[in-house]
Amino acid sequence: MSTGLWYATAKDEFEIASEETDKKSVYAEDDRQAAREELDSLKEAFEAAIQGANGEEVRRRVGNRIRELEQGVVAMEERAMED
């Protein structure tokens, strides 16, 4: 799977989890866990991709988006703990 597809999946999971967390739904905890798992998978794929022949290009194109997504997941998890 390409890094872009991993990113899209992780971002979708984050958006779902964030929405459910804001609504304080019964699904929120499971959705947050799924978002964290997808983010971790994305980070693993990213690390493998930057070791490849086009690593610097991958880092430049995707690195910032992954950091922003990770910050969003951490903030969502912190929001959930406050409730």
Side-chain angles (χ1 to χ4, degrees), residues 31-46:
D31 288 339
R32 283 192 303 275
Q33 182 178 352
R36 170 53 72 181
E37 289 170 1
E38 287 301 326
L39 175 62
D40 291 345
S41 295
L42 169 63
K43 289 169 57 178
E44 288 176 18
F46 176 72

Side-chain angles (χ1 to χ4, degrees), residues 27-82:
Y27 307 108
E29 185 175 346
D30 289 340
D31 288 339
R32 283 192 303 275
Q33 182 178 352
R36 170 53 72 181
E37 289 170 1
E38 287 301 326
L39 175 62
D40 291 345
S41 295
L42 169 63
K43 289 169 57 178
E44 288 176 18
F46 176 72
E47 288 300 319
I50 63 174
Q51 301 302 318
N54 298 319
E56 199 53 43
E57 180 181 348
V58 171
R59 182 187 308 270
R60 187 177 64 251
R61 294 179 70 201
V62 185
N64 285 336
R65 287 188 275 172
I66 292 173
R67 279 188 291 280
E68 289 172 2
L69 182 59
E70 183 170 26
Q71 290 170 350
V73 169
V74 168
M76 175 188 60
E77 291 170 337
E78 289 172 353
R79 238 181 17 247
M81 285 190 265
E82 292 173 357

